[in-house]
Amino acid sequence: MLVLRLLNVVAPAYFLCISLVTFVLQIFLFIPSMFRDPSTTPLLSPALLHGALFLFLSANALGNYVLVIQSSPEDLGKDLNLGKGAEVVNWLDGSRSPGSALPSTHFCRLCARVTQRYDHHCFFTGNCIGSRNMRNFIMFCLYTSLACLDSLVAGMAYISATLSMSFADPLAFLTLLPHSISQFFSGALLSSEMFVILMLYLWLGIGLACAGFCCHQMLLILRGQTRYQVRKGMVVRARPWRENLQDVFGKRWLLGLLIPVLNAESDHHRQKEK
């Protein structure tokens, strides 16, 4: 448990550090050096267009990241009127926790709270993912993968121009790291260039991981399931996929694709309104 709590603190700091490094490299290195075209007007310059695209992707990724953190798990015990010191047995795993009487809830020991429609605990946000922040979490994964892809392409263009190498061969990227390590220790490669090469592989790994996780999460949403329900072997009631999507993304789904907005209200809130 101590290791998990430590990871819950270190992982968000690591993500923010990687985001800051990516922003600095893009704004102060890639864009000024790779997008120079004096013949174009300032409003249509490649540097401005690429910078606007990168800022759009980064703003959405960071904005949804903040919303995931702010949308904390719900303390359902306050609304169930269980009484002071009351405990309810979790019907899924038999554990005792405050306020876990409603279906699809789970008590997280790291958060010390109960989450409605619990999916998993995300260490990179330091928060549980449930009904209140599922949409923001998916948008965060989507825009993080796109920002990493954008940084990967810009970084490869920078390395190609700096080292006068071509990535036309599909194996060129795979052999780039071992070849660069040998050049770095022989003194033929600068530290800044080696750092950019290492960041290329980091962006590739983070981008593929976020894209894969986003696709897997969308498949579960279409089926009306969560990762926790699948892990516990819980059978859910079959519903049309459109209703499952609307439960997560709400009616303002198009707005959520363009700007970071709060998640759709949870099922628990809908039950209270009824």
Side-chain angles (χ1 to χ4, degrees), residues 98-113:
S100 59
L102 296 179
S104 300
T105 62
H106 176 71
F107 178 73
C108 179
R109 295 183 179 181
L110 294 175
C111 297
R113 281 172 293 187

Side-chain angles (χ1 to χ4, degrees), residues 38-57:
S39 63
T40 59
T41 59
L43 292 179
L44 299 178
S45 63
L48 183 61
L49 295 178
H50 180 81
L53 174 62
F54 174 73
L55 291 178
F56 170 76
L57 298 177

Side-chain angles (χ1 to χ4, degrees), residues 5 24-25 38-39 46 56 64 80 84 104 106 133 136 147 155 167 180 189 198 200 226 228 232 274:
R5 292 185 182 275
V24 172
L25 289 177
S39 63
F56 170 76
N64 284 286
L80 294 177
K84 185 177 181 180
S104 300
H106 176 71
N133 53 12
N136 297 124
F167 289 98
S180 301
L189 195 65
L198 293 176
L200 293 180
T226 63
Y228 182 74
K232 293 295 182 178
K274 292 180 181 180

Side-chain angles (χ1 to χ4, degrees), residues 18 37 105 213:
I18 294 298
D37 191 358
T105 62
F213 197 91

Side-chain angles (χ1 to χ4, degrees), residues 205-225:
I206 296 177
L208 291 178
C210 289
F213 197 91
C214 183
C215 294
H216 175 68
Q217 205 70 41
M218 284 298 301
L219 179 60
L220 292 178
I221 291 175
L222 292 174
R223 296 167 55 183
Q225 292 180 310

Side-chain angles (χ1 to χ4, degrees), residues 94-170:
S95 61
R96 294 181 178 272
S97 59
S100 59
L102 296 179
S104 300
T105 62
H106 176 71
F107 178 73
C108 179
R109 295 183 179 181
L110 294 175
C111 297
R113 281 172 293 187
V114 177
T115 304
Q116 174 87 13
R117 194 167 174 79
Y118 173 82
D119 188 86
H120 70 283
H121 182 89
C122 177
F123 288 98
F124 284 99
T125 60
N127 204 359
C128 282
I129 307 301
S131 59
R132 294 187 63 181
N133 53 12
M134 176 59 74
R135 179 177 66 177
N136 297 124
F137 177 75
I138 293 177
M139 291 295 102
F140 159 69
C141 291
L142 174 63
Y143 280 104
T144 299
S145 63
L146 293 178
C148 288
L149 176 62
D150 179 83
S151 301
L152 177 64
V153 172
M156 290 177 63
Y158 173 79
I159 291 298
S160 177
T162 303
L163 302 181
S164 301
M165 62 179 303
S166 175
F167 289 98
D169 185 3

Side-chain angles (χ1 to χ4, degrees), residues 2-273:
L2 180 60
V3 176
L4 294 180
R5 292 185 182 275
L6 181 62
L7 182 62
N8 205 43
V9 176
V10 174
Y14 173 77
F15 172 78
L16 293 177
C17 181
I18 294 298
S19 302
L20 179 60
V21 171
T22 303
F23 179 82
V24 172
L25 289 177
Q26 280 270 26
I27 300 300
F28 297 102
L29 184 61
F30 297 159
I31 295 178
S33 60
M34 298 306 303
F35 298 96
R36 295 177 181 177
D37 191 358
S39 63
T40 59
T41 59
L43 292 179
L44 299 178
S45 63
L48 183 61
L49 295 178
H50 180 81
L53 174 62
F54 174 73
L55 291 178
F56 170 76
L57 298 177
S58 301
N60 275 277
L62 184 59
N64 284 286
Y65 180 81
V66 173
L67 292 178
V68 170
I69 297 176
Q70 288 184 344
S71 301
S72 301
E74 303 172 3
D75 191 356
L76 301 180
K78 296 180 180 179
D79 301 316
L80 294 177
N81 297 322
L82 298 175
K84 185 177 181 180
E87 286 186 333
V88 179
V89 178
N90 192 315
W91 64 283
L92 287 175
D93 55 12
S95 61
R96 294 181 178 272
S97 59
S100 59
L102 296 179
S104 300
T105 62
H106 176 71
F107 178 73
C108 179
R109 295 183 179 181
L110 294 175
C111 297
R113 281 172 293 187
V114 177
T115 304
Q116 174 87 13
R117 194 167 174 79
Y118 173 82
D119 188 86
H120 70 283
H121 182 89
C122 177
F123 288 98
F124 284 99
T125 60
N127 204 359
C128 282
I129 307 301
S131 59
R132 294 187 63 181
N133 53 12
M134 176 59 74
R135 179 177 66 177
N136 297 124
F137 177 75
I138 293 177
M139 291 295 102
F140 159 69
C141 291
L142 174 63
Y143 280 104
T144 299
S145 63
L146 293 178
C148 288
L149 176 62
D150 179 83
S151 301
L152 177 64
V153 172
M156 290 177 63
Y158 173 79
I159 291 298
S160 177
T162 303
L163 302 181
S164 301
M165 62 179 303
S166 175
F167 289 98
D169 185 3
L171 298 179
F173 185 79
L174 299 178
T175 59
L176 175 62
L177 182 59
H179 181 67
S180 301
I181 293 177
S182 62
Q183 284 188 331
F184 175 73
F185 285 105
S186 63
L189 195 65
L190 299 177
S191 301
S192 59
E193 297 171 347
M194 186 64 198
F195 180 76
V196 172
I197 292 175
L198 293 176
M199 290 298 300
L200 293 180
Y201 289 90
L202 186 60
W203 288 326
L204 177 63
I206 296 177
L208 291 178
C210 289
F213 197 91
C214 183
C215 294
H216 175 68
Q217 205 70 41
M218 284 298 301
L219 179 60
L220 292 178
I221 291 175
L222 292 174
R223 296 167 55 183
Q225 292 180 310
T226 63
R227 293 179 61 189
Y228 182 74
Q229 292 172 340
V230 173
R231 188 170 69 249
K232 293 295 182 178
M234 178 179 172
V235 180
V236 297
R237 180 172 59 91
R239 300 175 58 195
W241 61 271
R242 290 186 177 86
E243 294 184 8
N244 295 328
L245 284 178
Q246 187 173 355
D247 285 345
V248 175
F249 293 94
K251 297 180 179 179
R252 300 181 299 172
W253 63 271
L254 183 58
L255 181 63
L257 289 176
L258 301 177
I259 59 175
V261 294
L262 290 175
N263 197 3
E265 294 183 347
S266 63
D267 295 337
H268 177 61
H269 287 168
R270 296 193 188 102
Q271 291 175 2
K272 291 197 299 181
E273 291 177 356

